[in-house]
Amino acid sequence: MFGRVAVRASLVMLAASTAGCSSSFFKVTPDAGVGATGADTPAAAPAPKPAAKPTAKAAPPKVETKAPRPARGAAPAAAVTPLPAAPVVVDTILPEPDPAPSDSAGVARLHTLMQVWHLVSLYHPAVIERGAPWDSAFIRAATVVRSANDPQQLATAYRRMLSVLQDPLTRVELADVGPATGATESFAFGSERTRDSVLIVRVPLGSAQRALLTDSAAAMVRALLATAPTRVVLDVRGSGSANRAAPGGADSLDLDVVVDRFAANAGLATQLNSVLSMTSTERTRLVGGARYVYGQWQPDDAWTMRTGAPVFAGSMQPRRVMVLANRATVLPRALLSLVASGRATLIAEEGVDDTPLVSSVVLPIADRVTVRLRTGELVHADGGTGLIADTVLPRAAQASDSAPVLRAALSLLRTNRVARASRVPARRLPAVLPGYYDNDPYPFMGARLLAAARLWSAIRVRHVHRDLYDEDMDALLKRTIPKLEAARVASEYAAALLPMVSALDDTPSNLWGQSADSVRGTASVPFRVRWIEDRAIITDVIRDSVTKALGIETGMEVTAADGFPMPAWVIDHRAAVSAPNTWSRMRLLMSLMPRGPSGGALFRLRDMANRERQLNIPRSTAYLAPLMLSERPTMSSVRTLPGDIVYVDVERLSADSLASVTARSRSARGWVLDLRGTLGAGQSDAIVAAVRSIPEAVTAREVRRYDSEPCATPTLREARALCAVTRETRSRVSRGDTTGHYAGRIVVLIDERTSGEMERLAIALDAVARVTFIGSSSAGAPGEVMNVELPGLLNVALPIVELRRADDAQLQRVGITPSVEVRLTVRGVRSGFDDVIERAQQWLVQQLDPPARRRR
């Protein structure tokens, strides 16, 4: 009650004080320029006639503020009331829709929704820094968007999804709805001085006044502010569309550039500033690349911004400034610096719009319906962000009534009160999905669609080899969406994602998780298979009663698996694995062949006598563990070959064992380092230290890719041609002590099993020592990976750093080509010897003991 009485009393005083204002206006038109309107100028714009006293029907103006912070010693503002709190988004469990695929129109709507999710999750500050529950909003919206029948339903679904960002700029825009034009009165240049020495200067800064922002108008405003008193009301309310693009076409300057230039010429900030400050600027998101943090590769996303221009002090006398704006106002960045530093107060009429000041993209979602998405954010010199008004007021109820914002500004100046809004938002951890969306192997339908969106987004931005796809990833995504909708169990959900992962054509990329394992199979037959001489050959057999009774022996050929002839089985399972080339794909397919559900499986085997038998071989979970061990189980990991040559199986030795073995073997004439397998922790450093003969060498070239700016193209194919991508290339250098290094001949064995870290070790050995590669081409997948988590406890390893040779030659898909090419043979497998090791030993002996030349 006391507050309302105080408001009414202040209004009476305000009306009485404004009734006796003396005014001198000037008007600017595009043709006439600027001219002072006094007795000789009949075109003077009359001052608005204030009401003599508040009527009983007129509601008292409410001065709404966000987080008011009064100055020390100032009296509390009785007319200032806080804005109502933003509605809390309650994430309730939605009913699961019936599993059914969408038609082509529904798939197109979901594809557009995934593009919106992609851009917002990568570029919007509310998601990146303020923990907005964006994933949950997508899950809720997906079930509505897929069944939306008209543009109105679609717009409603998008509005609800975007509301979690609490950002007026990120919004749904309708083509048939005209832009807000601010207040109903016409805006013109003018000035007014009250009896108690408050200068009111009107400088409308809107798109409709663009033509009025001339040099002559700037000179008039500068002269007026040069003699301004200590209290100033700067009215920059305008009319027109708050749009970043200029209406004059692509060749004309953006409206914010025109306003900034006019503000600099008019001295809007300089004449009112008594302390040197910096203009507000925009920060944008640099997305892509990678960095190595705590033993893992992570995305190297970061904010980028330019330093603001200085705002010099044009006055020695401090002034209290009230800036009046509306949604059509294009605020100069220099003027925002005064507001951010507390030397000016921003009072908004129905809010302010930062659309012209920051970057944004527009995506069409339906006929005459678009979505505008923020991709940049204002940053002030004090570290604050965003365009936030200190006080928000409604428009005048009648055109003849004094603007509430003007009355509030005068009231704050005369009573020496301060209204300040905090411009430093609280930073929170990114929001996580609720457990019933993320931790269930068969997640909610919206969460299943989120998995496709997250994978497609990572492919588009994170995957460093995205220029090498053989398949149209966007078409594949559209084929995947109906399968995800129609999935009825966890295994169908994982099976729907497998083709997208397989299309990456990268060996480290695979889908892992409980449901993905159920697709590949949770049991195995008791033997291991490799692709040798274009045939599926059994290379290892678990000796037990089953294999003995069935007569399964090493060297037998698998001609049919699960009832399919081998060529048909390979074609049918091709999409189950991801590989950069044919030899890597066949290796992965052969490792996948023994797996499947528990129970009997039909295999057709051909023995050494060329006789075929069809066998019902049992699959058991007990066979998985032995077959997960490294190959070559019957061979010793370290042994001495004829000719004083030491063979070292790097895969089966720990880092400590490697160090001791290499120390004991320094007197050997030659080493054979077997890199055909996977590498453990610390093994690479031990091997490189033992053979290093070059103290400093470039082992490889790292290539990282960054999206220089947000790209709103709908497809990945268009993004390759239209989106700006920055490539950053660095040299990977290996340094170390060469004291005591091994000085003998070194042979390195490689084949399609040499992948990932083992392939990187081979590259390093080639740079720091004189080595000879023998075998077949390596896997051609040496890149480091990051983990992309998907709903349903699934994850995908995605290469985000491309490695090239030291001479910048391509390694991906090509691999390391050996100097001496030799492959395993079926005869060697059946005879129990390794052809590659035998050939390496022969080559070393030939090099160490060449045949004597006969003299002529």
Side-chain angles (χ1 to χ4, degrees):
M1 177 64 72
F2 176 76
R4 279 181 286 193
V5 172
V7 170
R8 293 177 183 271
S10 62
L11 287 176
V12 173
M13 295 174 58
L14 180 61
S17 61
T18 55
C21 293
S22 60
S23 61
S24 173
F25 285 86
F26 60 89
K27 181 175 294 186
V28 182
T29 61
D31 300 329
V34 181
T37 59
D40 300 331
T41 307
K49 185 179 297 182
K53 60 180 180 178
T55 61
K57 295 183 180 180
K62 294 183 180 180
V63 182
E64 298 177 342
T65 180
K66 297 180 180 178
R69 187 170 58 199
R72 183 178 301 178
V80 177
T81 59
L83 276 175
V88 178
V89 179
V90 180
D91 197 352
T92 57
I93 300 178
L94 298 176
E96 173 75 12
D98 294 332
S102 296
D103 56 10
S104 59
V107 170
R109 290 193 297 268
L110 289 173
H111 186 256
T112 303
L113 181 68
M114 292 178 182
Q115 295 179 44
V116 173
W117 179 90
H118 160 78
L119 289 170
V120 172
S121 62
L122 291 178
Y123 298 102
H124 202 287
V127 177
I128 298 166
E129 294 200 359
R130 295 192 275 279
W134 181 237
D135 289 348
S136 297
F138 173 90
I139 291 172
R140 300 178 65 89
T143 56
V144 180
V145 168
R146 63 187 292 267
S147 58
N149 295 323
D150 57 69
Q152 186 62 38
Q153 292 181 0
L154 203 59
T156 302
Y158 272 93
R159 286 193 185 99
R160 181 174 182 180
M161 180 178 69
L162 298 177
S163 66
V164 302
L165 303 175
Q166 299 184 10
D167 176 23
L169 173 56
T170 303
R171 58 182 181 257
V172 176
E173 296 179 343
L174 305 179
D176 54 352
V177 177
T181 58
T184 56
E185 57 190 290
S186 60
F187 295 101
F189 286 82
S191 69
E192 185 176 357
R193 189 184 293 266
T194 65
R195 292 179 178 177
D196 54 350
S197 297
V198 176
L199 177 64
I200 304 173
V201 180
R202 173 164 292 179
V203 186
L205 301 178
S207 60
Q209 292 79 36
R210 176 191 177 99
L212 306 182
L213 306 180
T214 60
D215 292 338
S216 57
M220 182 69 68
V221 174
R222 177 180 287 274
L224 186 63
L225 294 179
T227 58
T230 58
R231 296 180 297 177
V232 177
V233 176
L234 189 60
D235 189 353
V236 293
R237 290 175 296 160
S239 60
S241 173
N243 195 346
R244 184 181 180 90
D251 297 332
S252 57
L253 291 175
D254 287 346
L255 183 57
D256 59 326
V257 177
V258 175
V259 170
D260 282 340
R261 186 173 58 186
F262 175 82
N265 295 336
L268 287 183
T270 305
Q271 299 291 340
L272 303 175
N273 190 24
S274 59
V275 180
L276 177 66
S277 60
M278 305 298 291
T279 61
S280 301
T281 185
E282 181 190 9
R283 67 175 182 177
T284 55
R285 197 75 174 163
L286 182 68
V287 174
R291 55 180 173 174
Y292 196 67
V293 181
Y294 300 120
Q296 292 182 345
W297 285 95
Q298 298 179 1
D300 191 24
D301 301 344
W303 290 108
T304 61
M305 64 181 181
R306 291 184 293 270
T307 304
V311 179
F312 297 100
S315 173
M316 299 296 295
Q317 183 181 17
R319 291 185 173 89
R320 290 198 64 197
V321 181
M322 297 288 166
V323 180
L324 311 184
N326 59 8
R327 293 193 181 278
T329 302
V330 182
L331 284 165
R333 292 174 175 83
L335 196 58
L336 284 176
S337 67
L338 299 187
V339 176
S341 61
R343 288 186 287 275
T345 300
L346 179 59
I347 303 177
E349 187 176 64
E350 294 188 325
V352 287
D353 192 353
D354 59 348
T355 303
L357 304 177
V358 297
S359 302
S360 61
V361 296
V362 178
L363 290 178
I365 61 172
D367 183 27
R368 304 180 65 81
V369 182
T370 59
V371 171
R372 181 177 294 275
L373 307 175
R374 175 191 296 274
T375 58
E377 186 176 37
L378 285 173
V379 179
H380 311 295
D382 62 347
T385 59
L387 180 56
I388 302 175
D390 297 309
T391 301
V392 180
L393 288 163
R395 291 167 54 182
Q398 300 177 1
S400 60
D401 188 12
S402 288
V405 289
L406 178 60
R407 287 183 282 145
L410 293 174
S411 176
L412 291 173
L413 287 176
R414 288 165 178 158
T415 57
N416 199 28
R417 293 178 298 167
V418 177
R420 289 286 295 154
S422 174
R423 288 172 174 80
V424 182
R427 300 190 63 176
R428 303 184 182 94
L429 293 175
V432 297
L433 284 178
Y436 49 84
Y437 288 157
D438 202 9
N439 298 329
D440 188 350
Y442 176 64
F444 184 78
M445 179 185 286
R448 300 198 299 271
L449 294 171
L450 175 63
R454 189 175 292 175
L455 180 57
W456 178 78
S457 175
I459 289 172
R460 179 163 176 162
V461 176
R462 309 292 183 197
H463 192 205
V464 73
H465 302 129
R466 54 186 178 269
D467 287 343
L468 302 178
Y469 297 146
D470 294 330
E471 193 149 359
D472 187 345
M473 299 301 293
D474 296 282
L476 182 57
L477 173 64
K478 292 181 179 179
R479 294 196 299 268
T480 302
I481 289 174
K483 297 179 182 178
L484 292 172
E485 293 176 295
R488 294 166 295 178
V489 292
S491 59
E492 292 182 1
Y493 162 56
L497 292 173
L498 277 175
M500 287 191 67
V501 180
S502 174
L504 298 178
D505 293 333
D506 223 330
T507 297
S509 301
N510 211 335
L511 190 66
W512 302 106
Q514 178 182 349
S515 55
D517 291 340
S518 66
V519 176
R520 285 187 286 266
T522 57
S524 174
V525 294
F527 54 79
R528 195 196 314 259
V529 182
R530 286 198 60 195
W531 191 253
I532 302 174
E533 295 180 351
D534 296 331
R535 291 188 286 174
I537 305 299
I538 297 176
T539 58
D540 188 17
V541 178
I542 298 177
R543 301 299 177 182
D544 61 359
S545 59
V546 174
T547 56
K548 184 177 180 181
L550 295 176
I552 303 175
E553 299 291 340
T554 301
M556 298 180 72
E557 179 185 355
V558 180
T559 59
D562 292 319
F564 289 90
M566 188 51 54
W569 188 93
V570 170
I571 294 174
D572 186 64
H573 290 76
R574 179 179 176 83
V577 296
S578 176
N581 43 52
T582 303
W583 55 91
S584 296
R585 187 176 298 275
M586 295 308 298
R587 175 181 71 86
L588 295 175
L589 285 175
M590 292 302 103
S591 65
L592 186 65
M593 181 189 298
R595 301 187 61 172
S598 298
L602 290 178
F603 280 78
R604 181 176 290 275
L605 304 182
R606 178 182 296 160
D607 60 15
M608 280 66 79
N610 208 26
R611 293 174 299 188
E612 288 193 17
R613 292 183 299 155
Q614 181 164 307
L615 303 176
N616 189 357
I617 305 175
R619 283 192 173 104
S620 173
T621 56
Y623 293 142
L624 279 178
L627 293 179
M628 293 298 292
L629 300 177
S630 60
E631 295 191 43
R632 305 179 293 275
T634 60
M635 299 181 184
S636 175
S637 58
V638 179
R639 64 181 186 272
T640 302
L641 304 177
D644 194 18
I645 299 170
V646 175
Y647 168 83
V648 179
D649 191 347
V650 176
E651 180 184 25
R652 291 192 288 160
L653 292 176
S654 64
D656 295 337
S657 300
L658 281 171
S660 61
V661 167
T662 55
R664 294 195 309 266
S665 306
R666 293 190 183 279
S667 60
R669 302 176 65 194
W671 283 1
V672 177
L673 302 178
D674 198 338
L675 304 190
R676 298 174 297 171
T678 58
L679 195 65
Q683 294 171 298
S684 177
D685 296 337
I687 290 292
V688 171
V691 304
R692 178 186 295 277
S693 60
I694 301 175
E696 181 176 332
V698 176
T699 61
R701 303 276 287 174
E702 297 178 5
V703 180
R704 311 180 191 189
R705 300 185 180 188
Y706 298 86
D707 281 9
S708 305
E709 58 187 25
C711 186
T713 56
T715 65
L716 185 60
R717 191 180 299 273
E718 294 176 353
R720 294 178 189 174
L722 302 178
C723 297
V725 177
T726 302
R727 291 173 180 258
E728 184 180 281
T729 304
R730 303 177 184 176
S731 296
R732 181 169 292 187
V733 181
S734 176
R735 300 179 179 90
D737 189 8
T738 60
T739 304
H741 73 276
Y742 178 68
R745 287 271 188 171
I746 303 173
V747 166
V748 176
L749 307 184
I750 59 174
D751 65 5
E752 67 275 8
R753 292 168 290 180
T754 307
S755 177
E757 192 170 357
M758 192 70 88
E759 198 166 12
R760 295 195 293 273
L761 172 59
I763 299 170
L765 291 177
D766 191 27
V768 303
R770 184 179 178 183
V771 300
T772 302
F773 293 108
I774 294 180
S776 56
S777 297
S778 62
E784 281 100 347
V785 300
M786 63 167 283
N787 189 49
V788 178
E789 296 182 353
L790 305 178
L793 301 175
L794 295 176
N795 59 78
V796 176
L798 202 65
I800 56 175
V801 178
E802 179 184 4
L803 286 186
R804 306 178 73 88
R805 291 181 179 272
D807 59 357
D808 211 33
Q810 182 176 330
L811 271 171
Q812 178 67 19
R813 291 197 175 190
V814 178
I816 302 172
T817 304
S819 301
V820 179
E821 184 170 359
V822 56
R823 303 174 185 271
L824 290 179
T825 62
V826 177
R827 174 176 170 270
V829 173
R830 292 173 177 175
S831 301
F833 69 90
D834 192 320
D835 302 85
V836 181
I837 297 177
E838 294 289 334
R839 183 67 182 92
Q841 185 267 338
Q842 294 173 6
W843 184 88
L844 272 175
V845 170
Q846 292 173 358
Q847 299 299 316
L848 295 171
D849 300 320
R853 294 184 179 180
R854 188 176 62 179
R855 294 182 180 180
R856 293 184 179 179

